[in-house]
Amino acid sequence: MTELQKPVPLKGRSLLKENDFTKEEFEALIDYAITLKSYKHKGIAHRFLEGKNIALLFEKTSTRTRAAFTVASIDLGAHPEFLGKNDIQLGKKESVEDTAKVLGRMFDGIEFRGFSQEVVESLAEHSGVPVWNGLTDTWHPTQMLADYMTVKENFGHLEGINLTYIGDGRNNMAHSLMVAGAMLGVNVRICTPQSLFPNQTFVDMARQRGEKDGGSVMVTDNIEEAVKDAHVIYTDVWVSMGEESEFETRVNLLKDYQVNKQLMRQTGREDTIFLHCLPAFHDTQTLYGKEIEEKYGIGEMEVTDEVFRSPQSKVFDQAENRMHTIKSVIASTLT
Ligand code: CP
Ligand code: NVA
């Protein structure tokens, strides 16, 4: 029988935002996810969480995060319970504090996806069990583990990687990529129009991590400067969940920042990969995609279908890695 590698010793810790973790802890979670991926692919059981119960709270919709937490829990021998925003009292009839205290008496860990970072922080403060942030308006930390794991799988290392994020510079993905990247020794470039430059607080936070841990952060509206020598070109939707009234403004602001074949060539590297947290607007096969085409005459938004489907695109490896990294986090914080 194979001797299983034990989870990272992080018992009782929550994952609310990247900055709460050390570089070594974050790297260890990524490396452990790589190990868990090999167990899964080889069919080696790894039921570290037999008898545990995990609550999955979703105020916003999700495919990957919900599926990843569900499958990861079941693979680990735990029971996941989905609690959607229309099914529970949270916010309507019961405060976050009271909900946290109740769930903490029954569940061993809680995942939360929603709008406010304060809610996920409050759940952690009052539940007494590990809480994992499955995305808020401010941060998307579980996504970072999968993204940088995918970078590591492709390049073998993270230190010295140039990662260019092009798109909305003020959303959760821009914040998280900057801070997590700076912490992991990556040179992160945020390329966005000046009116979408990230709030300086987040840039300062990332730069401080970079000074300590070896990465760097550049913010620019100049595409040529941003993409030169990039190992990774990353983009996200132009309009995040909860901002649906912003489509027209964002299409006008960001249409020149679309990831297309010409932009991919501009890196000057043969080995550049394309990443996207997904879901992506790369064609008109969605309700929003169709509406945008009818209104503004563009059938592709943040990335062209050509790049999305190209061999350089690693978006489905990245999506699969959400499951292995989330498994790494829940196993490590619950055992
Ligand atoms: N990337 C991501 O979080 O996807 P979902 O919104 O489908 O969970
Ligand atoms: N910025 C996007 C990320 C989705 C995974 C959003 O918040 O909608």
Side-chain angles (χ1 to χ4, degrees), residues 22-233:
T22 65
K23 178 188 178 93
E24 292 71 27
E25 287 167 345
F26 224 70
E27 282 173 344
L29 285 170
I30 292 172
D31 290 342
Y32 193 55
I34 294 172
T35 303
L36 290 171
K37 184 174 183 174
S38 78
Y39 292 165
K40 174 84 176 175
H41 287 187
K42 287 182 201 150
I44 300 170
H46 42 279
R47 296 172 68 84
F48 295 112
L49 300 183
E50 298 264 10
K52 306 262 188 215
N53 291 292
I54 290 174
L56 307 179
L57 264 60
F58 282 84
E59 268 182 4
K60 289 179 176 171
T61 51
S62 164
T63 296
R64 279 143 288 272
T65 309
R66 177 177 174 179
F69 268 99
T70 304
V71 174
S73 303
I74 294 169
D75 281 357
L76 288 165
H79 172 83
E81 188 65 30
F82 178 77
L83 305 169
K85 79 167 187 335
N86 297 323
D87 312 323
I88 58 168
Q89 316 284 20
L90 176 65
K92 295 187 287 283
K93 282 179 71 182
E94 195 161 43
S95 66
V96 177
E97 179 178 343
D98 293 356
T99 304
K101 286 176 179 165
V102 173
L103 295 180
R105 299 282 183 118
M106 300 187 193
F107 288 94
D108 299 285
I110 302 169
E111 179 276 354
F112 173 80
R113 162 171 290 201
F115 295 88
S116 157
Q117 181 67 18
E118 283 72 42
V119 171
V120 79
E121 307 261 352
S122 178
L123 284 171
E125 185 185 342
H126 298 292
S127 66
V129 297
V131 172
W132 311 290
N133 178 354
L135 177 148
T136 61
D137 289 345
T138 321
W139 304 109
H140 197 1
T142 61
Q143 180 75 50
M144 290 308 106
L145 293 166
D147 294 353
Y148 287 110
M149 169 178 171
T150 311
V151 175
K152 191 163 188 180
E153 284 178 331
N154 278 275
F155 295 98
H157 63 97
L158 291 171
E159 304 270 343
I161 290 288
N162 302 322
L163 179 145
T164 302
Y165 168 85
I166 181 159
D168 175 12
R170 300 184 74 88
N171 71 11
N172 40 22
M173 289 303 304
H175 300 158
S176 281
L177 284 166
M178 277 195 294
V179 174
M183 177 202 319
L184 294 166
V186 172
N187 304 311
V188 181
R189 296 120 171 224
I190 303 292
C191 183
T192 188
Q194 289 196 11
S195 59
L196 292 175
F197 270 18
N199 186 308
Q200 197 56 38
T201 316
F202 298 113
V203 179
D204 290 344
M205 188 190 277
R207 291 211 167 118
Q208 275 165 19
R209 284 309 297 248
E211 276 163 29
K212 187 163 156 271
D213 292 330
S216 69
V217 177
M218 174 215 275
V219 179
T220 178
D221 61 355
N222 184 319
I223 297 173
E224 203 180 324
E225 179 188 21
V227 306
K228 190 171 183 296
D229 205 29
H231 299 83
V232 184
I233 297 290

Side-chain angles (χ1 to χ4, degrees), residues 220-277:
T220 178
D221 61 355
N222 184 319
I223 297 173
E224 203 180 324
E225 179 188 21
V227 306
K228 190 171 183 296
D229 205 29
H231 299 83
V232 184
I233 297 290
Y234 199 120
T235 191
D236 183 16
V237 287
W238 291 343
V239 173
S240 286
M241 286 181 274
E243 299 183 319
E244 285 75 9
S245 60
E246 297 291 311
F247 266 113
E248 183 166 356
T249 323
R250 294 288 169 75
V251 167
N252 288 326
L253 273 173
L254 289 165
K255 59 183 185 314
D256 296 336
Y257 290 78
Q258 182 191 59
V259 177
N260 50 38
K261 201 86 211 166
Q262 191 211 337
L263 184 138
M264 291 299 287
R265 272 196 220 103
Q266 269 180 280
T267 68
R269 297 185 69 97
E270 295 286 308
D271 58 354
T272 303
I273 62 167
F274 169 72
L275 297 181
H276 190 311
C277 53

